[in-house]
Amino acid sequence: MELFEILCGIGVTILALYYYLTSTFDFWKIRGVRGPQPIPGFGNVKDVMFNKTFMGDYLTKVYNAYKSEQIIGIFNGRTPVLIVKDPELIKNILIKDFTLFANRGLPTFKKVRMLK
């Protein structure tokens, strides 16, 4: 192979990786939900991933930065996460519309191995 072909292959691989890491970052923008700008590969929780800050402290910072918003959209890696601030909306989600939210962030395990 020539050097040019190798460089083109590396360039295409980098572009494909960048597209994969950022392809979901317009999720909240399309829906009109405001939130902080995510970083490719990390989303909005880079400092949490590197243990520079606690998740609760980060969420408090985001909560206070968007005081006028009822809902805030952030990203945990590539996964969109919705932060709901309005008490009436929280009540509707947890009571009335509970069955419409399939993945609520709580892991469930089908098989559980007994501890000895």
Side-chain angles (χ1 to χ4, degrees):
M1 276 191 176
E2 292 184 25
L3 180 63
F4 179 72
E5 292 173 341
I6 294 172
L7 292 176
C8 285
I10 291 171
V12 167
T13 303
I14 290 171
L15 286 175
L17 181 65
Y18 179 79
Y19 176 76
Y20 173 76
L21 293 174
T22 61
S23 62
T24 60
F25 284 175
D26 61 348
F27 184 84
W28 294 125
K29 192 179 294 183
I30 290 171
R31 287 156 178 81
V33 177
R34 292 188 59 215
Q37 184 66 31
I39 299 170
F42 300 107
N44 298 109
V45 293
K46 179 185 74 135
D47 291 338
V48 175
M49 286 182 176
F50 291 128
N51 287 329
K52 290 183 179 178
T53 185
F54 177 63
M55 184 62 136
D57 293 336
Y58 174 74
L59 292 176
T60 302
K61 184 177 88 172
V62 171
Y63 184 92
N64 292 330
Y66 293 91
K67 284 189 182 282
S68 63
E69 299 295 321
Q70 292 183 345
I71 54 177
I72 305 166
I74 65 169
F75 289 89
N76 186 5
R78 294 182 64 230
T79 307
V81 177
L82 183 66
I83 300 171
V84 182
K85 294 172 54 177
D86 182 35
E88 276 301 312
L89 193 53
I90 292 170
K91 181 180 172 184
N92 285 340
I93 290 170
L94 292 177
I95 296 171
K96 182 180 174 189
D97 301 326
F98 187 76
T99 57
L100 300 176
F101 290 86
N103 183 2
R104 290 175 285 282
L106 301 173
T108 57
F109 303 102
K110 300 290 182 198
K111 289 185 173 182
V112 177
R113 199 175 80 209
M114 297 296 291
L115 297 174
K116 294 182 180 182

